[in-house]
Amino acid sequence: MIIVDTALAKRHAEGNPIRVAMVGAGFMGKGIALQICKYTKGMELVAISNRTLDKARQAYTDAEVSEVQEVSTLAQLEDNIRQGKYSITEDALLLCQAEGIDAVIEVTGAVEFGTNVALTAIQHGKHIIMMNAEVDGTIGPILKVYADKAGVVFTNADGDQPGVTMNLFRFVKGLGVKPVLCGNIKGLHDPYRNPTTQEGFAKKWGQKPEMVTSFADGSKISFEQAIIANGTGMRVAKRGMHGPTVLGGTTLKDCAHDLYPMEDMMEGPGIVDYVVGAEPGPGVFVLGTHDDPIQQHYLNLYKLGEGPLYLFYTPYHLCHFEVPTTVARAVLFQDAALTPMGAPQVAVVAAAKIDLKAGEVVDGIGHYMTYGLCENADTAAAEKLLPIELPKDAC
């Protein structure tokens, strides 16, 4: 979104920055704080909420903001915003209610809590940027209805794979090419991974074992592809998607045309899916078709091949680096990076990692007992499949 840099530069020159608040100061939240505070002119991160205040304070410290004030009331927070001071608080809902805040970034990964944050922000006229795939993939279409009624933007984020995919989808569609598959490139998929197996990797990168597990066991990619499906109208070809695995180092260009049955892509609205092991990773791709023989000739000239499938890809996703772009798109242009287009198309349902016994309480996402699989929403409802995102004590 090249237009965003010019718009932010104008806000900076006018001394009228976008004022944004953030809920969650974990691994991703700290990166977002750093990016906004140090590298995004025309935008200010005026407040951070976290249940552990020291983490909120540390996020500011890492971003070289030394003067922060703890607040516990709405009046204190609003007074700080007027005076250009930075605030931290345990009460996330203050950020959603305060005058002077244009948008709220939700970065917790908690389903019920994140839902409350999103709803409260929407009710108080704040644009809401979701770095919470679990909420977005669960009730995003419902939150979008509330956001539309309130006249605010509800959106997933640039930089994360769903947002990168949607940007590519819009680009491809704008060329006159019909997208038939939105794909994600993974380096690993093992549904039986758990917090114990992922503990070492999590420690290396300063992340929670449960979060790392949700990536390894496929739950996270299921949420991500469900979000894309809900934003494009696409579906899945089968429960869990095809998810083919290729030899490590295989280029996407060499294998993309042979990964998925043509009938799955060509019939209906198209599908979301993924591939394991292809390069460049971790990127995203779109496969599309074009009916015009003259344009087919040009696409062949431009090295996209003879068709019928044309491959477009983005070889990276830069997560927190691009979140300020999403904020600016929402506040300045009322444009969502990725938002549901209507009723849910794809849901994420629970599959067992272990043999479950009657009476057992199912644990949460990224734990020991279940992992998530994409299923078409109408099938999930008809078969009464268990959404993996239900609270762990609901079963």
Side-chain angles (χ1 to χ4, degrees), residues 77-361:
L77 175 57
E78 290 178 340
D79 189 52
N80 277 359
I81 294 170
R82 284 190 292 269
Q83 295 185 48
K85 298 178 180 178
Y86 298 94
S87 302
I88 58 174
T89 181
E90 295 176 345
D91 189 347
L93 299 188
L94 295 183
L95 277 56
C96 303
Q97 298 165 355
E99 291 185 6
I101 291 176
D102 300 305
V104 175
I105 309 170
E106 209 289 330
V107 208
T108 68
V111 177
E112 183 176 3
F113 178 78
T115 298
N116 288 333
V117 168
L119 275 174
T120 306
I122 289 168
Q123 290 166 355
H124 288 82
K126 316 293 184 195
H127 303 293
I128 182 75
I129 289 82
M130 300 299 294
M131 291 289 287
N132 188 330
E134 291 80 4
V135 169
D136 202 344
T138 305
I139 58 167
I142 297 173
L143 293 172
K144 173 63 159 53
V145 172
Y146 283 100
D148 286 348
K149 289 180 178 178
V152 298
V153 173
F154 170 83
T155 179
N156 202 265
D158 291 279
D160 217 352
Q161 283 174 309
V164 177
T165 303
M166 192 65 187
N167 287 338
L168 184 59
F169 174 91
R170 288 172 64 174
F171 168 76
V172 170
K173 194 172 180 180
L175 297 178
V177 176
K178 178 186 176 183
V180 297
L181 182 142
C182 287
N184 194 318
I185 305 170
K186 284 181 62 69
L188 168 71
H189 180 212
D190 179 356
Y192 302 107
R193 296 295 177 103
N194 60 50
T196 301
T197 65
Q198 302 310 112
E199 186 174 4
F201 185 90
K203 184 176 181 180
K204 175 182 177 181
W205 294 105
Q207 295 179 279
K208 295 179 179 179
E210 295 80 9
M211 179 61 72
V212 174
T213 300
S214 73
F215 282 96
D217 70 10
S219 298
K220 184 69 74 171
I221 195 172
S222 295
F223 277 112
E224 291 177 342
Q225 297 306 85
I227 293 167
I228 295 167
N230 292 339
T232 60
M234 290 182 167
R235 293 167 65 81
V236 292
K238 66 174 188 175
R239 185 173 301 168
M241 301 177 282
H242 287 292
T245 298
V246 300
L247 290 175
T250 302
T251 67
L252 185 63
K253 185 175 181 180
D254 288 340
C255 67
H257 297 78
D258 303 315
L259 290 174
Y260 315 98
M262 283 292 293
E263 60 270 19
D264 288 346
M265 294 182 282
M266 304 302 286
E267 296 177 4
I271 62 172
V272 295
D273 218 296
Y274 66 97
V275 60
V276 180
E279 295 290 344
V284 303
F285 61 100
V286 170
L287 292 173
T289 63
H290 208 305
D291 294 334
D292 189 326
I294 298 177
Q295 296 289 52
Q296 291 173 0
H297 181 73
Y298 278 115
L299 288 169
N300 193 16
L301 171 66
Y302 300 145
K303 312 303 181 186
L304 268 69
E306 297 180 353
L309 296 176
Y310 300 98
L311 169 66
F312 302 82
Y313 63 88
T314 302
Y316 51 79
H317 68 290
L318 300 179
C319 292
H320 75 271
F321 285 91
E322 298 187 58
V323 172
T325 297
T326 314
V327 176
R329 288 172 66 175
V331 174
L332 301 178
F333 302 102
Q334 291 72 52
D335 181 49
L338 170 57
T339 195
M341 63 181 299
Q345 299 299 308
V346 170
V348 183
V349 301
K353 291 183 182 181
I354 61 173
D355 292 334
L356 301 176
K357 299 178 178 64
E360 284 188 306
V361 177

Side-chain angles (χ1 to χ4, degrees), residues 48-61:
I48 300 175
S49 175
N50 198 72
R51 60 184 179 182
T52 305
L53 274 180
D54 285 346
K55 287 189 175 182
R57 192 183 303 275
Q58 188 62 50
Y60 270 130
T61 299

